[in-house]
């Protein structure tokens, strides 16, 4: 091994962290709306793994790994909304992660990803059922987008979930839920756009 390679490997060693406790949550994101008074739902299955990081260069912390894709929300013949993965776009702020933090708050965990306790990991491993999605408070949601023309990615635009009817008349968003599942992670976008 050349001296430079050895020094690079030696310097990288403190950056490598040890993974402590972890928990994987497979969940279905379910969007609900009414279309001309009729209820409609669409869903997408995702998976997130939370890991405790110990003995890293910066001390203890946490890490997440999210798998999945945007939820394709079909609006009963009136159009399609994509509930974006994995971002939210709060007012006057930049895009940020939604599902990694939203799963924690949805299941009543108050600690941050970097501060998850053993009890929090137990809560994640034992999570079950369907609950209303909560990202810190009930008003924050992942980003909702649509296309004027799905064949042209430049026609993308953002939608206010609380005012879907302004974009799709007769449609009213009624909520976003999380349901724990063992179904496979959804893979529909590639088929939809690449045929």
């Amino acid at each position: 091994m050349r001296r430079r390679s050895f020094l690079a490997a030696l310097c990288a060693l403190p950056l490598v962290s040890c993974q402590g406790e972890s928990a994987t949550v497979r969940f279905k994101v379910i969007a609900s709306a009414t279309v001309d008074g009729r209820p409609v739902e669409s869903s997408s299955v995702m998976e997130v793994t939370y890991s405790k990081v110990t003995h890293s260069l910066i001390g203890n912390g946490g890490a997440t790994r999210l798998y999945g894709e945007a939820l394709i929300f079909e609006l009963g013949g009136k159009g399609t909304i994509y509930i974006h993965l994995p971002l939210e776009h709060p007012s006057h702020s930049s895009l940020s992660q939604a599902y990694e933090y939203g799963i924690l708050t949805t299941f009543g965990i108050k600690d941050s990803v970097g501060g998850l306790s053993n009890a929090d990991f137990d809560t994640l491993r034992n999570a079950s059922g369907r609950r209303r999605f909560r990202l810190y408070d009930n008003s924050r949601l992942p980003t909702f987008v649509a296309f004027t023309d799905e064949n042209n990615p430049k026609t993308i635009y953002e939608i206010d979930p609380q005012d879907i009817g302004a974009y799709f008349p007769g449609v009213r968003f009624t909520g976003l839920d999380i349901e724990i599942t063992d179904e496979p992670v959804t893979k529909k976008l590639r088929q939809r756009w690449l045929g």
Side-chain angles (χ1 to χ4, degrees), residues 80-111:
T80 304
I81 294 174
Y82 295 86
I83 300 178
H84 208 251
L85 171 73
L87 307 169
E88 65 144 345
H89 189 192
S91 302
H92 312 295
S93 182
S94 61
L95 296 171
S96 62
Q97 294 174 322
Y99 294 115
E100 291 95 325
Y101 300 116
I103 291 295
L104 298 179
T105 53
T106 295
F107 287 92
I109 296 172
K110 294 183 172 37
D111 293 321

Side-chain angles (χ1 to χ4, degrees), residues 140-191:
R140 292 172 65 179
L141 294 165
T143 304
F144 286 42
V145 299
F147 297 88
T148 305
D149 175 2
E150 280 199 17
N151 296 317
N152 181 356
K154 292 182 179 179
T155 65
I156 192 169
Y157 61 96
E158 189 171 344
I159 292 172
D160 177 355
Q162 306 310 323
D163 196 19
I164 287 179
Y167 309 90
F168 301 96
V171 177
R172 186 175 65 84
F173 177 66
T174 55
L176 194 68
D177 290 353
I178 297 294
E179 182 176 27
I180 301 302
T181 185
D182 59 2
E183 294 177 25
V185 173
T186 304
K187 296 178 181 175
K188 293 180 181 175
L189 280 178
R190 183 179 297 271
Q191 296 168 356

